[in-house]
Amino acid sequence: MFRVDVDLNAAVAQVDDLHKRQIPFAAKNALNKLAARVIEAEKEEMKTVFFNPIAWTLNSLFIRQYADKSNLLAIVDFKDGAGGRSAGKYLQAQITGGGRRAKAVENFFVAHGLMPADHKIVPSDSVRLDRHGNITLSAFKAMVRGVAEGTHFALLKPHGKLVPGLYRRGKRKKKTRGSKPKVEALLIYVGKADYNKRLRYFETAKEVAAAEGRQIFAAELAAAIKTAR
């Protein structure tokens, strides 16, 4: 959460004393409309920055607090997700840059001894991703099941030419004596996953406020004066 200020002095200065009592009403309407416009602009920014973002990400912002005449403050924030799955948490690295938080599946892998702590999952080219560029839950379940059945294995430390990750065993050729089955990397475990700042979250909100704040307030003030009794 952050603060965006809009200078309304020029618009207020043009209002006569008789109609100044309409200012708080117009201001609270303007702030709430501006908050809605910020959400629209953030959604367009996400569509520009991310490849085919999921609906949960696009619809992750809401007006947590609406302004009223006694408290001229509107708050735009990320929705609280079940199990702590807030877009504000998994988008943090995209907004500020740096390392990202561990995903739920990564915590599961660490807890079950399938991945070393403080590591992140990177899919290999052998893993089919969904249309949003993510590994599906069914694919993760198949890998865990494969480890239990012996068709897959997790490597927590480098071994020869193999890096830490989750691998699928290939079939051994029957007629080749001493041959070893090939293995195929499905997941690679990396010690750190740093992201460059991509989502212009704060900048977008400030740009909308600077470009539209005064006009929205002026329109709301004019409407309030017109309908004043």
Side-chain angles (χ1 to χ4, degrees):
M1 185 177 66
F2 64 101
R3 176 172 177 167
V4 175
D5 294 316
V6 181
D7 184 4
L8 304 177
N9 290 328
V12 171
Q14 300 178 20
V15 181
D16 57 43
D17 292 338
L18 179 62
H19 293 118
K20 280 188 176 179
R21 61 189 180 89
Q22 300 298 325
I23 291 176
F25 177 76
K28 68 99 174 176
N29 286 344
L31 283 172
N32 292 331
K33 284 193 175 181
L34 185 59
R37 274 291 300 123
V38 166
I39 292 176
E40 292 175 5
E42 296 287 8
K43 184 181 293 188
E44 292 304 313
E45 173 71 3
M46 291 177 185
K47 291 179 180 179
T48 301
V49 170
F50 303 133
F51 170 74
N52 199 17
I54 61 175
W56 172 254
T57 298
L58 290 176
N59 299 318
S60 58
L61 290 170
F62 77 120
I63 301 177
R64 184 175 292 277
Q65 176 180 313
Y66 284 88
D68 58 41
K69 289 191 292 184
S70 61
N71 185 19
L72 295 175
L73 175 67
I75 298 177
V76 173
D77 201 359
F78 286 99
K79 297 176 182 176
D80 299 318
R85 186 177 175 269
S86 168
K89 293 180 179 179
Y90 66 74
L91 290 178
Q92 185 65 37
Q94 307 286 354
I95 295 172
T96 62
R100 66 166 172 80
R101 295 169 59 93
K103 298 179 180 179
V105 69
E106 291 169 336
N107 290 331
F108 175 87
F109 270 48
V110 171
H112 288 77
L114 299 176
M115 187 174 76
D118 299 324
H119 279 60
K120 302 294 187 292
I121 289 175
V122 177
S124 75
D125 294 337
S126 300
V127 177
R128 180 177 295 180
L129 306 178
D130 64 16
R131 62 191 182 92
H132 303 293
N134 300 316
I135 305 173
T136 63
L137 181 58
S138 60
F140 276 121
K141 288 182 177 179
M143 294 177 202
V144 174
R145 186 169 59 250
V147 172
E149 296 173 351
T151 59
H152 297 57
F153 67 94
L155 191 63
L156 305 189
K157 296 180 179 180
H159 181 75
K161 295 182 179 181
L162 300 182
V163 299
L166 192 141
Y167 293 81
R168 177 168 53 203
R169 290 187 171 94
K171 294 182 178 180
R172 186 189 300 273
K173 294 182 180 180
K174 294 181 179 180
K175 295 182 179 180
T176 305
R177 178 179 294 180
S179 65
K180 295 182 179 180
K182 292 183 178 180
V183 297
E184 181 181 26
L186 301 179
L187 307 176
I188 303 299
Y189 302 151
V190 297
K192 193 175 182 181
D194 283 339
Y195 290 80
N196 292 325
K197 178 178 177 178
R198 298 176 62 198
L199 183 63
R200 298 176 64 255
Y201 176 70
F202 300 112
E203 295 86 349
T204 297
K206 290 179 180 179
E207 288 170 3
V208 171
E212 304 180 29
R214 295 177 186 176
Q215 293 91 325
I216 292 176
F217 174 72
E220 290 300 319
L221 183 57
I225 292 175
K226 184 178 181 179
T227 57
R229 295 181 180 179

